[in-house]
Amino acid sequence: MKRLLLLGGGHAEIPLIQAAQALGYYVITTGNAREGLGHPYADKNVFADFSDKDAMLELARSENVDAVCSGCNDFALLSTAYVCEKLGLPGHDSFETALQIHHKDKYRALAEKLGIATPHAVTVKTCADEAFARAVAPLTYPIIVKPVDLTGGKGILRANNLEEAIAAYKNACSRTREDHIVVEEFVEGSNHGFSAFLIGGKVTFCFADNEQYFLNKYMVSGANTPSTTAPAGIAQLVRDSEKLAAHLHLVDGILHIQYIERADGTPVIIEICRRAPGDLYIKFVKYATGVDYPKMIVSAETGATVCVPETASSSAPEVSCGGPETNCGGPAARVKPFLRHCIMAEREGTVHDVVFTPEIQKNIVEKFLWFKAGEKTGDPLYYKAGIVFLQFDSITEMAEKTAKMTNYIYIEMSDPN
């Protein structure tokens, strides 16, 4: 059998593991988290630090793999690009191109160069407290302070004044592996995701959503579709995606974007990546559209030919397989009203059970739960008990129930001892 190394083994990687196996691969997962829920689905586990790109290169060589696929983590993607470049394996951009996309400071500089709407930002060296105040002086408060290399809301804080900004700066510096961080102006608007699939530098399939947040205002806790973004906004994101693809000569595959839609409808891109998003997002896309997104992603990352079904439901009702007439700016009428909801704790405590009230039972398509009764939540900003997929009869029902979802699905818990 062909052998594939997948950098990751958490719950988010399960659809990728299954897709690779369906494509005929013997799948080897890796990562430091031995308790990862995805590892039992793989054919073999080799536990190692996937952020160590040289260790991953040695692992790929020792396992004599035919392909490497990134898990749902930026460090995994960067190591994957590095390994594939060194071994001459297909399916990935160069390592330098991957850095251009996945490091926040590099992407923002590139976006400004290409005329893509992005927050006004500055880069500041770590351990440069005196220079920090001078560097952020041109920015308008509130500002957002971010590590350039982390995802999932880690190390991100909003600051309304210089005192808060300095505290946020020290926090970001303590978390990053790089020698600099990025500071940007806060953008007012609604939060959304946009996932595009590139073939020959053109967007052949795209999917847009509306994001929800719980306690952690920088980590997505849910997403529903169809998106409230107007066709003109989706069309702009398609143009931005193809502009990036042309400038960076991006290989075929996923290009995932997080954006803030301003009141005037302008989409401002705040994050971008070339890997599958976490928390089973690609399964959410598959449910809502009928498109086998995990299989498309793995096919692209292994260098196989990918063809988007012309009958696919998507934000692009006229998609074709790489043809020049692709139009992802059309209405999302063919997308089923769906929600992916992460079950999160409202406070620190001991978990007893997850409650699903009668009002929401008919909407549940799948529950994927991993909590254990009696376990402690730890930091409630990051604790998850599981993920639920829900379908609705109408966009109105979806919007109304999404707004009250934490009343319909919640963790039954007690205060910590």
Side-chain angles (χ1 to χ4, degrees), residues 180-196:
H180 56 284
I181 55 100
V182 67
V183 185
E184 63 191 35
E185 293 180 346
F186 179 76
V187 178
E188 292 281 357
S190 55
N191 292 73
H192 305 267
F194 174 81
S195 203

Side-chain angles (χ1 to χ4, degrees), residues 202-279:
K202 298 297 182 182
V203 174
T204 58
F205 170 81
C206 64
F207 178 87
D209 66 64
N210 312 300
E211 295 179 344
Q212 293 87 48
Y213 295 77
F214 192 43
L215 297 184
N216 189 337
K217 302 308 178 185
Y218 306 106
M219 183 177 74
V220 180
S221 63
N224 65 26
T225 194
S227 173
T228 56
T229 298
I234 301 298
Q236 181 60 57
L237 290 165
V238 171
R239 290 193 293 272
D240 290 342
S241 299
E242 293 182 348
K243 187 181 293 185
L244 283 166
H247 181 80
L248 294 173
H249 306 290
L250 299 181
V251 300
D252 294 352
I254 187 173
L255 178 67
H256 188 79
I257 289 169
Q258 282 185 285
Y259 67 98
I260 294 175
E261 184 181 9
R262 287 179 171 151
D264 64 0
T266 302
V268 180
I269 297 175
I270 57 171
E271 303 290 349
I272 190 167
C273 66
R274 295 226 67 194
R275 56 165 178 80
D279 288 328

Side-chain angles (χ1 to χ4, degrees), residues 296-309:
M296 287 169 58
I297 292 168
V298 173
S299 294
E301 291 200 35
T302 57
T305 300
V306 183
C307 185
V308 181

